[in-house]
Amino acid sequence: MATTTLTPAKELLSGNEAIARGALENGIRVATGYPGTPSTEILETLARYDAEHYVSWSPNEKVALDVGVGGALAGSRTLVTMKHVGLNVAADTLMSVAYTGVRAALVIVTADDPGVHSSQNEQDNRIYARFAEIPLLEPSDSQEAKDFVQQACEISERFDTPVLLRSTTRLSHTKGMVSLGPIAPPPVLGYERNLAKNVLVPSNARVRHEKVLERSARLREFAEESSLNRWERGSNAVGVITSGMAYQYVKEVLPEASILKLGLIHPLPLDLLRKFAASVQRLLVVEELEPVIEEQLKAAGIAVEGKEFFPRLGEFSPERVRQGFQKAGVLPSPPKNMEPEKGLAVQENLFRPPALCPGCPHSVPYLVLKKLNALVVGDIGCYTLAVYEPLAAIETTLAMGCSIGMAVGLQKGGDGARPIVATIGDSTFFHSGIPPLIDALYNNARITVLILDNQTTAMTGGQEHAGTGKNIRGEKVRTIEIAKLCKALGVEHVQGVDPYDVAAVFRTLKSAINHDGVSVVITNRPCVVSPVTIRTTPYAVNGKECDACQICMNLGCPAIVWTEEIHQGQHKVTIDARTCMGCAVCALLCPTEAIVALANDPARRAV
Amino acid sequence: MESPATQNVLIVGVGGQGVLLASDILGTVCLGRGYQVKKSEVHGMAKRGGVVYSHVRYGTQVLSPTIEPGTSDVLLAFEPAEALRWSKYVKPTGTVIVNTQKRIPPAACQDRRPDALTRYPRGIEQALRSQIEDVRRFDAETLAFELGDLRMCNTVLLGALSRVCEFSAEEWLAAIEKSVKPRTAELNRRAFLAGRSVEFPCAEEPQAEELVFEKREAARDEAPFIEIRQNWCKGCEICVRVCPQNCLVMNGSKLAEVAKAETCIRCMLCEWLCPDLAVSVH
Amino acid sequence: MEKMTKPVQLLQGNAACARAAIAAGCRFYGGYPISPSSEIAETMAKLLPRVGGKFIQMEDEIASLAAVIGASLAGMKAMTATSGPGFSLMQEHIGFACYTEVPCVVVDVMRGGPSTGLPTSPSQADVMQARWGTHGDHPAIALCASSPGEVYELTVRAFNLAERLRTPVILLLDEVVAHMYEKVDLGRLAGLPVEDRRKPKGAPGKLEAYAAGEDGVPAMAPFGEGYRYHVTGLAHDSRGYPTQDPAVVETTQRRLQRKVDRCRKEIVSYELLQCEDAEVIVFAYGIVAAAARQAVRQARQRGIRAGLFRAITLWPFPGEELAAAVKQAKRIVVAEMNLGQMTGEVERAVGKKKTVKTCLKANGEAITPDEIFSALQAEDACHA
Amino acid sequence: MLDIQKYLRLEMFPHMLCPGCGHGIVLGALLRAIHSLKLSQDEVVVVSGIGCSSRLSGYVDFDTLHTTHGRPLAFATGIKMARPELTVIVITGDGDGLSIGGNHLIHAARRNVGLTCLLLNNEIYGMTGGQAAPTTPLGKISTTGPTGPFETPFDSCRLVEAAGASFVARGITYEPATLEKLIVAAIQNPGFSFLEIISDCPEFFGRFNRMGNPADQILAQKQNVVDAKTAATLPPERLKGKMLTGILHHEPRPEYAASYQESIAQMGAQAR
Amino acid sequence: MDRYEIRLSGEGGQGLVLAGAILAEALGIQCGKHVAYTQSYGPESRGGGCRSDLVVSDQPIDYPICSQLDLLLCLTQKACDKYWVHLKEGGLLIVDSTRVTRLPSGSFEVCSVPILRTASVKLGREVVANMVCLGVIANLSGLIPREALQKALLERIPKGTEQINQRALEAGYGLTGALTPAMAHAPLP
């Protein structure tokens, strides 16, 4: 982990840490964002540095970008971070700030997730750059990640444009060596009143659109010259156009090829590309996800190959890139693999899906909702994991904050056969749950909104938010109370419940479901792993008493597993004291005296 | 084709086992030597009982942050099934170091019906050995526990790893000290040394067993039959609520009804907890 | 043991009661100490185990009668003994025994009341309690002895009636009778017949526990012998199962009444002394009847044509018998150690044409022969 | 598998208890316990008092005695004395057993007469419509304690143990298998065995105190209990407000009816 | 013999209940007469007073309670003060000479003898005063043959105490030895 006090010349930094470092070295004064894997650590790293810069979590990406735009207009270099889908939320602002331009630099980090490691889709945000007509930079290792921040700032200010800096999960989460530079104090340019530029009334907007196109033209010229794009000469048999992480794989797999490594993805240096194309016998584009470069090249009349060999789906890896080159005939085909089928069967059966943590306060509400036969409209957060067996309670998950609005629609358009419950986390509620709740109230929906308030942004590792009473730096700030907020909006039925009290959860949810109108239930237990671990005395199974009814296993708690001992055809269970958090819910459910608290934690011994 | 100097170490385990800290320490050791290092992992599910892995590559030049299958020099597995899952990444001449303590995921036990597969296999050791010659298995957790804290398991495993890497014990210990909380530095040091001093094979090897996912056997030949005497049932909902298999539902007359008899595991809770004695499981 | 076999013994009333109970087959006694009945318990505690019976001192009178009913259900003839305050506590279970038709004998040694009253002084103020102390309708059988020898006889009879009719039978004594010693000829009394409850015929099986024949008395199976039936104090049907069906409830109520009514002749007993030509007849029972007997002799010596009707069975009230006995008499003097509890019954029985006077005393002292003699002489009632 | 119907008076079903009444669960556990002890139906007597719980005696095919309010132990004492060979089980409620019948309870315990007393505690008077019981917890609503009683409730197990019972245990209806085992152990103890069973009254206690439906209530039971074996290892702060379950006291001593029988034999008399 | 009423009175511990029972046994069982024997009970006995009453008759006894005493024995002043009024005309009052010092006067005969002192000093056991009483009563009343009384005594007393009780009985006879039954009715010196 990077530390602030000692600054050696080189450090092992993840892509995200490197971006943060880049921001510090380049005088970023305002940094905002909303947590989202794989972007989260950028702001977290920034917040750990004790400097003048302002770092904050915003309730959502659009707000973060708005703050960022303001920061830039005020004359401070600004960094706004989010995951790929976050940019959809911020897209409204993005599309227009592209018109107004910035005063100081506005760098927007979009962290894409090829392979969908931790997201709801694998959209390719390079397309946003074309859409908004703004530049997009794509580093391919930690060093570049840092360096590109500087470039991005300079481009942003030179061309008066917001700049997208695209990372991917692999880049963000790979640690590599980074040479460190001095941390620069952030300058402030000061605000400048400019109504024609900053007020997008139609008459101004029409003018600004023109300016955007002019800017694009200048940017294209810049691209041809920029050091961001690098021609690595090699064999002229094959030329490869690539960028980002794919570049590393290409280098690994096909080190002898000529490579045009693009750092500036939009706009493309078409002249340079033509020259490169002309220099090689065969031209391939190796890009993760969408054929963004490939199609532009084809549109420009440059003959390239790409997506016919390299998949549009999923994350690249050296072997996938190798397979692509093999498919393209660039590399010899491998001998037939030995017994791939057997290997596959083993992989399929080696079952270890992610699950809600031991002691997770979300488990019981979903256990209950399933029993209540509710149509559970999910949202984005850890609780999405309740879609898996055994909880298997969630029936839809779409995007941040969708649950409440969808619930309204499901109710209004539905047959009323099942109660409709939107489940949403505290952070997601602040992100984009409030307007749809207003909609539900305004339009008199008959839905229940279950706000799973675990007092953190758990899925991304425990970030603070408006409801936690602390800011990103851990300083005490105002708490926005969800219950009060709901009541203020006009929700008549607002109830809190302890999610570890199974009976209370049943009781509360049932009464909420029976309420004719919008009802809100708010759970009150904190996440047991983030931001701090809450571990009490673990529980254990007294095998003698266990009747193998498996009711405890319905919680899906990872600490509870089968033993070899069989009772009436069923496995008895045991609790892994190493992972048990001591929430006691399984003990509450156990219909015998089998699950008991341990006086002494067997996982730890006095040292 | 790849740089002969590049070394690949794949560290795998289950969320919460300390895989990432272990790979951080390895990265720091490499950095100390002035090597190029890349260390790649995916966060997010790490704390959620899911699969956790970290690719560590070091040498004079490192390009791809991830390791290609069949090219890893070492696989350091915190869990046997994870060792099996990632074993294809290891060179046949490579080394597998594996902690023998199993972490059976509940999902592997979720299907409670007869004939269902338990999705955690037997015979992992045998399967590993059939692919890689140098398999070093030991109970790192017990060793850690005996040292005073189960969580030292990752450091114990690093100790075992240190025997197959080129770095000296001093280099490792310096990196460990840098990476852990001062409070636990001494314990970590002892854990590392304990792991380092393990000689392989360290214990009796288990009997060779074919890799197999076991099928559950039915307790009885005939399938369970749930009988609900509707005229006795008063609709209190208890049976519906307690059934772990969700076999029962409340019907339109607000009485209990069998919905999914086939999932019944004959746990008897519905019969035992029916206050109206209206339910019998045959 | 030797004493038990000696034919003529000097016996206390309470001891005679205990001896008689054992002779009648009683093998269970549950009780709680209370003056002036305690010697019954003491004697039972000593004697019962010698005949294989069980004695238990319970925590109160309520529990005592409960245990008695339990033991009776389990097949043992059973009894308890108490005095006024304890008798009050037993009322609920007397009702229970009536309704569930469990034979048992309750001895009430009457003492001065109300409340704790006069624990060691005689009284006859529980006679109405014996009839109406419980709630609800049911027949009552109460016998009253006036000497230790009679205590013995009536105890045996109480058991016989209880067993024959499956109902609790109350034996009323008073402090004087209970505590006095008299010669009792056990040899003669040993010959008294003993009756046992009728058990169901045939092997155990499904038993309609409260189905009765002509006599209205269902056969009674002891617990633990395979008949497996239900006993409840709730209104129940012939199976013993609770019911609220008015027809069934009414049928049961009437049967309970009828089974006693039809045996009335066998139950009712009394003693007449010189009533044939009497102008004035004393109605008395218990120890008062002893005083009355002396008073009647005194009166006859003085030329007054006096007679005595001594009620032995108090409930069912020997009304018809009394009416027949006093046919020729002009006046009836009711002498009792209370404020006239039986007087109303007597008035009802003899009709309005007869003058009914009273000789009452409720101060803890026994009515003396002189007091009754005065009443016989006087036109007006003598309130001693 | 046991067909519980063998032990029932089928013609009495469905029983009269309210939907979700915990007492029915106890009935099942009791029958399974009797079955597992291989007791013949002819050697079991079930005695009960008055109240919802006490209605159970009517539904089982043994010799059964439904007595008066609070007195079943006294009746049962008579039965056990008369026939010590019988297994006499007393079913009573918290009002029946602890209020009106409290005296009988402590004396039965003291006497150590061989009865198995199941006290079904639903913390309220159910049969009469939800009045305060001697077990109603502080602050809980009843019709005669509309703002919650100010009286401290009984801990019946401690009471009975102090009174000298040789076996004292507590179970909950949510643990039917454990309950069965406790009943078996209680019956096997030769002396007076007391088993308090925490049961639910959804109709009154649950409704008045907003505890949800029967299923909610039964699930809530474990919130308030800790089993005694575990409790012994836990620090006091973790036991605060919790009731102990399991066998709380077991110290066999001579059983009353058997001792009496023996003394009869010593006198050379023949019993019955 | 017609109805004859005897009352033994004194205080608790003086054994008068047993004395009454022996008397009843002797008269009823040994002599074949009708007897009705009653005692005082309860608080009265605990409060110090003790009384046992005996009605004897050749005919069946109608009324078992004493009201006109033929013989009254008083071992305390209190008993004497309380009961002497029930003495029949011509009845016999026997008192302990040490405890009863204020003698009532009336148309009855009084016999004052040192019963208690005889038991404590002469026999060394005050508890046998009741047997001394029996001797006195038997001797003065002439109701009971000596053998009947002795037999009844053996019937009722605890085993092992026969000798001392017999000696006490004899002492009772001896105390009033000079007085014949006939003389009993004469006032004593």
Side-chain angles (χ1 to χ4, degrees), chain A residues 534-564:
Chain A
I534 302 170
R535 190 176 196 271
T536 56
T537 317
Y539 279 69
V541 179
N542 176 357
K544 264 204 337 248
E545 301 291 331
C546 177
D547 267 355
C549 74
Q550 317 235 331
I551 200 167
C552 55
M553 291 203 81
N554 279 5
L555 281 168
C557 174
I560 307 175
V561 294
W562 284 355
T563 66
E564 302 282 322

Coordinates of all heavy atoms in Angstrom, one line a residue, chain A residues 534-564:
Chain A
I534 N -16.9 -6.0 12.3 CA -17.7 -6.2 13.6 C -17.8 -7.7 13.8 O -18.6 -8.4 13.3 CB -19.1 -5.5 13.5 CG1 -18.9 -4.1 13.1 CG2 -19.8 -5.7 14.8 CD1 -20.2 -3.4 12.7
R535 N -16.9 -8.1 14.7 CA -16.9 -9.6 14.9 C -17.1 -9.8 16.4 O -16.3 -9.3 17.2 CB -15.6 -10.1 14.5 CG -15.5 -11.7 14.5 CD -14.2 -12.1 13.9 NE -14.2 -13.5 13.6 CZ -13.9 -14.5 14.4 NH1 -13.6 -14.2 15.6 NH2 -14.0 -15.7 14.0
T536 N -18.1 -10.5 16.8 CA -18.3 -10.8 18.2 C -18.0 -12.3 18.3 O -17.6 -13.0 17.4 CB -19.7 -10.5 18.7 OG1 -20.6 -11.2 17.8 CG2 -20.0 -9.0 18.6
T537 N -18.3 -12.8 19.5 CA -18.0 -14.2 19.7 C -18.7 -15.1 18.7 O -19.9 -15.0 18.4 CB -18.6 -14.6 21.1 OG1 -18.3 -13.6 22.0 CG2 -18.1 -16.0 21.6
P538 N -17.9 -16.0 18.1 CA -18.6 -16.8 17.1 C -19.5 -17.9 17.7 O -19.4 -18.2 18.9 CB -17.3 -17.5 16.4 CG -16.3 -17.5 17.4 CD -16.5 -16.3 18.3
Y539 N -20.2 -18.5 16.8 CA -21.2 -19.6 17.2 C -20.6 -20.9 16.7 O -19.8 -20.9 15.8 CB -22.6 -19.3 16.7 CG -23.3 -18.3 17.6 CD1 -22.9 -17.0 17.6 CD2 -24.3 -18.7 18.4 CE1 -23.5 -16.1 18.5 CE2 -25.0 -17.8 19.2 CZ -24.6 -16.5 19.3 OH -25.2 -15.6 20.1
A540 N -21.1 -22.0 17.3 CA -20.6 -23.3 16.9 C -21.8 -24.2 16.9 O -22.9 -23.9 17.6 CB -19.6 -23.8 17.9
V541 N -21.7 -25.3 16.3 CA -22.8 -26.3 16.2 C -22.4 -27.5 17.1 O -21.3 -28.0 17.1 CB -22.9 -26.9 14.8 CG1 -24.1 -27.9 14.7 CG2 -23.3 -25.7 13.8
N542 N -23.4 -27.8 18.0 CA -23.3 -28.9 18.8 C -23.9 -30.1 18.0 O -25.1 -30.2 17.9 CB -24.1 -28.7 20.1 CG -24.1 -29.9 21.0 OD1 -23.5 -31.0 20.6 ND2 -24.7 -29.8 22.1
G543 N -23.0 -30.9 17.4 CA -23.4 -31.9 16.4 C -24.4 -32.9 17.0 O -25.2 -33.4 16.3
K544 N -24.3 -33.1 18.3 CA -25.3 -34.0 18.9 C -26.7 -33.6 18.7 O -27.6 -34.3 18.6 CB -24.9 -34.2 20.4 CG -24.1 -35.4 20.7 CD -24.2 -35.9 22.2 CE -24.7 -34.9 23.2 NZ -23.8 -34.5 24.2
E545 N -26.9 -32.3 18.9 CA -28.2 -31.7 18.8 C -28.7 -31.4 17.4 O -29.9 -31.2 17.2 CB -28.3 -30.4 19.6 CG -27.9 -30.5 21.1 CD -28.9 -31.3 21.9 OE1 -30.1 -31.3 21.5 OE2 -28.5 -32.0 22.9
C546 N -27.8 -31.3 16.5 CA -28.2 -30.9 15.1 C -29.1 -32.0 14.5 O -28.8 -33.2 14.5 CB -26.9 -30.7 14.3 SG -27.3 -30.3 12.5
D547 N -30.2 -31.5 14.0 CA -31.2 -32.4 13.4 C -31.1 -32.4 11.8 O -31.9 -32.9 11.2 CB -32.6 -32.1 13.8 CG -33.0 -32.9 15.0 OD1 -32.2 -33.8 15.4 OD2 -34.1 -32.6 15.5
A548 N -30.1 -31.7 11.3 CA -29.9 -31.6 9.9 C -31.1 -31.1 9.1 O -31.3 -31.5 8.0 CB -29.5 -33.0 9.4
C549 N -31.8 -30.3 9.8 CA -33.0 -29.7 9.1 C -32.5 -28.6 8.0 O -33.3 -28.3 7.1 CB -33.9 -29.1 10.0 SG -33.4 -27.5 10.7
Q550 N -31.3 -28.1 8.2 CA -30.7 -27.2 7.3 C -31.4 -25.8 7.2 O -31.2 -25.1 6.3 CB -30.7 -27.8 5.9 CG -30.3 -29.3 6.0 CD -29.1 -29.6 5.1 OE1 -28.9 -29.0 4.1 NE2 -28.3 -30.5 5.5
I551 N -32.2 -25.5 8.2 CA -32.9 -24.2 8.1 C -31.8 -23.1 8.2 O -32.0 -22.1 7.6 CB -33.9 -24.2 9.3 CG1 -35.0 -23.1 9.0 CG2 -33.3 -23.9 10.6 CD1 -36.2 -23.2 9.9
C552 N -30.8 -23.4 8.9 CA -29.7 -22.3 9.0 C -29.0 -22.1 7.7 O -28.6 -21.0 7.4 CB -28.7 -22.7 10.1 SG -28.0 -24.3 9.8
M553 N -29.0 -23.1 6.9 CA -28.3 -23.0 5.6 C -29.0 -22.1 4.6 O -28.5 -21.6 3.7 CB -28.0 -24.4 5.0 CG -27.0 -25.2 5.7 SD -26.2 -26.4 4.8 CE -25.0 -25.5 3.9
N554 N -30.3 -21.9 4.9 CA -31.1 -21.0 4.1 C -30.6 -19.6 4.1 O -31.0 -18.7 3.3 CB -32.6 -21.1 4.4 CG -33.2 -22.3 3.8 OD1 -32.5 -23.1 3.2 ND2 -34.5 -22.4 3.9
L555 N -29.8 -19.2 5.1 CA -29.3 -17.9 5.2 C -28.2 -17.7 4.1 O -27.9 -16.6 3.8 CB -28.6 -17.7 6.6 CG -29.6 -17.4 7.7 CD1 -28.8 -17.5 9.0 CD2 -30.2 -16.0 7.5
G556 N -27.7 -18.8 3.7 CA -26.6 -18.7 2.7 C -25.3 -18.1 3.3 O -24.5 -17.6 2.7
C557 N -25.2 -18.3 4.6 CA -24.0 -17.8 5.3 C -22.8 -18.6 5.0 O -22.8 -19.8 5.2 CB -24.3 -17.8 6.8 SG -22.8 -17.3 7.7
P558 N -21.8 -18.0 4.5 CA -20.6 -18.8 4.1 C -19.9 -19.5 5.2 O -19.1 -20.5 5.0 CB -19.6 -17.7 3.5 CG -20.5 -16.6 3.2 CD -21.6 -16.6 4.2
A559 N -20.2 -19.1 6.5 CA -19.6 -19.8 7.6 C -20.3 -21.1 7.9 O -19.7 -21.9 8.7 CB -19.6 -18.9 8.8
I560 N -21.4 -21.4 7.4 CA -22.2 -22.6 7.7 C -22.0 -23.6 6.6 O -22.4 -23.3 5.4 CB -23.7 -22.3 7.9 CG1 -23.8 -21.2 9.0 CG2 -24.4 -23.6 8.4 CD1 -25.3 -20.8 9.1
V561 N -21.5 -24.7 6.9 CA -21.3 -25.8 5.9 C -21.7 -27.2 6.4 O -21.9 -27.3 7.6 CB -19.9 -25.9 5.3 CG1 -19.5 -24.6 4.6 CG2 -18.9 -26.1 6.5
W562 N -21.8 -28.1 5.5 CA -22.2 -29.5 5.9 C -21.0 -30.1 6.5 O -19.8 -29.8 6.2 CB -22.5 -30.3 4.6 CG -23.8 -30.0 4.1 CD1 -24.8 -29.2 4.6 CD2 -24.3 -30.6 2.8 NE1 -25.9 -29.2 3.7 CE2 -25.6 -30.0 2.7 CE3 -23.8 -31.4 1.9 CZ2 -26.4 -30.4 1.6 CZ3 -24.6 -31.7 0.8 CH2 -25.9 -31.2 0.7
T563 N -21.3 -31.1 7.4 CA -20.3 -32.0 7.9 C -20.5 -33.3 7.2 O -21.4 -33.5 6.4 CB -20.4 -32.2 9.4 OG1 -21.6 -32.9 9.7 CG2 -20.3 -30.9 10.1
E564 N -19.6 -34.2 7.5 CA -19.7 -35.5 6.9 C -20.8 -36.3 7.6 O -21.3 -37.3 7.0 CB -18.4 -36.3 7.0 CG -17.2 -35.6 6.4 CD -17.2 -35.8 4.9 OE1 -17.5 -36.9 4.4 OE2 -16.8 -34.8 4.2

